[in-house]
């Protein structure tokens, strides 16, 4: 959930859809100010973000998502879904993290952890980086802050990350499939349902467990019918629709391979993203 409006409108819609399909899932929340309106979105799909969201930070003060959406976040947890940290200031993280100094990174994650504890009455056990953007110190903090796992990168299977020769003892469960908007960017003539069919095709063609990343602002709103198509298709193909904590529970950390991580572009999405590399 990237924005205040996405949390208010998209998250309840996602909960209803997932429950209707007997599907679990993990919700990563932005917990601080919504400054989405201050960024310039390069994606042609930016029009799908509500106009009110894009005005925040330009004409209106950015709303505090964690305070304004506390009840929705607690309802998500109460409905049995896993919750984790996405960011404190999601737009600020996207803009600054690749060049950020350590004190800024620590402050951002400290604020997110404190707000998570205020909202849920418990410490956060999972981190899913905004935009799959991290740096060395942010990865170190996934270990130092005691997260059970993180889902900060793109890749093919769970692993222990190695950044420039430094082992970070917090397992990564990477996003393995393209997102709906990435497929639409690569195939401009596609409708959302066609993009969903392409993802279903890839799910069956690539062996192993998969992690699919969706957004409250898109699949919870404009792309909800395509999400329903995906969920129905996966169930027809005998996939179990689980939260990331269920994948984490199946892992033997001592047996996980170590892989380097690097920054690379994902097809259909401009900009460098943290990506699983070769075996270390």
């Amino acid at each position: 959930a990237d924005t205040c409006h996405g949390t208010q409108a998209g998250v309840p819609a996602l909960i209803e859809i997932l429950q209707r399909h007997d599907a679990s899932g993990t919700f990563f929340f932005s917990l601080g100010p919504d400054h989405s309106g201050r960024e310039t979105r390069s994606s042609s799909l930016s029009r799908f973000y509500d106009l009110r969201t894009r005005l925040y930070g330009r004409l209106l003060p950015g709303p505090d998502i964690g305070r304004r959406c506390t009840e929705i976040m607690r309802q998500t947890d109460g409905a049995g879904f896993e919750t984790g940290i996405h960011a404190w200031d999601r737009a600020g993280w996207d803009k600054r993290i690749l060049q950020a100094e350590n004190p800024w990174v620590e402050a951002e994650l400290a604020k997110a952890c404190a707000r998570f504890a205020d909202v849920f009455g418990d410490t956060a056990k999972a981190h899913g980086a905004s935009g799959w953007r991290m740096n060395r110190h942010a990865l170190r903090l996934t270990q130092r802050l005691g997260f059970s796992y993180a889902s900060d990168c793109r890749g093919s299977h769970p692993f222990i990350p190695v950044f420039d020769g430094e082992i970070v003892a917090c397992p990564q469960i990477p996003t393995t499939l393209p997102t709906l908007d990435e497929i639409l960017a690569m195939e401009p003539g596609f409708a959302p349902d066609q993009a969903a069919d392409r993802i279903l095709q890839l799910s069956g063609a690539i062996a192993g467990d998969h992690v699919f990343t969706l957004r409250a602002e898109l699949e919870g709103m404009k792309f909800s019918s395509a999400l329903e198509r995906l969920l129905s298709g996966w169930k027809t193909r005998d996939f179990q629709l689980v939260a990331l904590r269920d994948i984490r529970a199946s892992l033997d950390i001592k047996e996980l391979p170590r892989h380097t991580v690097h920054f690379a572009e994902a097809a259909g999405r401009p900009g460098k993203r943290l990506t699983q590399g070769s075996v270390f």
Side-chain angles (χ1 to χ4, degrees), residues 36-38 50-62:
S36 299
R38 294 179 180 175
D50 188 273
L51 177 60
R52 285 170 294 176
T53 299
R54 287 184 276 126
L55 285 174
Y56 290 144
R58 290 181 180 172
L59 304 179
L60 304 171

Side-chain angles (χ1 to χ4, degrees), residues 5-19 27 29 72-73 75-76 216 220:
H5 184 58
T7 306
Q8 290 173 324
V11 167
L14 285 175
I15 290 172
E16 192 275 329
I17 291 170
L18 291 169
Q19 288 178 329
F27 285 76
F29 286 109
I72 290 172
M73 293 180 182
Q75 288 172 1
T76 305

Side-chain angles (χ1 to χ4, degrees), residues 3-215:
T3 65
C4 188
H5 184 58
T7 306
Q8 290 173 324
V11 167
L14 285 175
I15 290 172
E16 192 275 329
I17 291 170
L18 291 169
Q19 288 178 329
R20 185 150 28 87
H21 288 268
D22 295 319
S24 189
T26 302
F27 285 76
F28 290 104
F29 286 109
S30 298
L31 294 153
D34 182 356
H35 290 143
S36 299
R38 294 179 180 175
E39 65 188 332
T40 301
R41 297 184 183 277
S42 58
S43 170
S44 62
L45 292 165
S46 62
R47 62 183 180 275
F48 290 118
Y49 281 78
D50 188 273
L51 177 60
R52 285 170 294 176
T53 299
R54 287 184 276 126
L55 285 174
Y56 290 144
R58 290 181 180 172
L59 304 179
L60 304 171
D64 186 317
I65 303 172
R67 295 195 186 282
R68 187 170 295 189
C69 303
T70 298
E71 190 57 33
I72 290 172
M73 293 180 182
R74 289 176 178 166
Q75 288 172 1
T76 305
D77 179 67
F81 294 97
E82 183 184 17
T83 57
I85 290 173
H86 189 45
W88 171 250
D89 175 357
R90 198 271 312 173
W93 185 274
D94 281 359
K95 182 178 180 180
R96 296 185 60 178
I97 187 58
L98 295 185
Q99 291 81 36
E101 299 293 334
N102 293 359
W104 183 87
V105 180
E106 291 200 33
E108 290 291 294
L109 277 170
K111 287 183 287 189
C113 287
R115 176 60 59 78
F116 186 96
D118 286 344
V119 171
F120 296 104
D122 197 4
T123 57
K125 298 176 178 63
H127 183 263
S130 174
W132 306 278
R133 291 180 183 270
M134 292 286 278
N135 66 14
R136 181 200 296 269
H137 196 58
L139 274 176
R140 286 172 176 157
L141 287 171
T142 63
Q143 174 182 326
R144 188 190 305 173
L145 293 171
F147 294 129
S148 174
Y149 73 88
S151 188
D152 299 324
C153 67
R154 309 296 288 258
S156 58
H157 58 273
F159 67 100
I160 299 296
V162 181
F163 196 113
D164 286 345
E166 179 181 342
I167 297 170
V168 178
C170 177
Q172 286 285 334
I173 305 178
T175 293
T176 65
L177 294 168
T179 63
L180 278 169
D181 55 323
E182 287 168 357
I183 297 291
L184 291 173
M186 290 186 288
E187 301 285 355
F190 270 23
D193 281 356
Q194 289 175 292
D197 289 343
R198 176 65 59 82
I199 292 169
L200 288 170
Q201 191 178 54
L202 290 170
S203 308
I206 304 171
D209 296 333
H210 286 291
V211 175
F212 177 67
T213 295
L214 55 91
R215 275 164 290 170

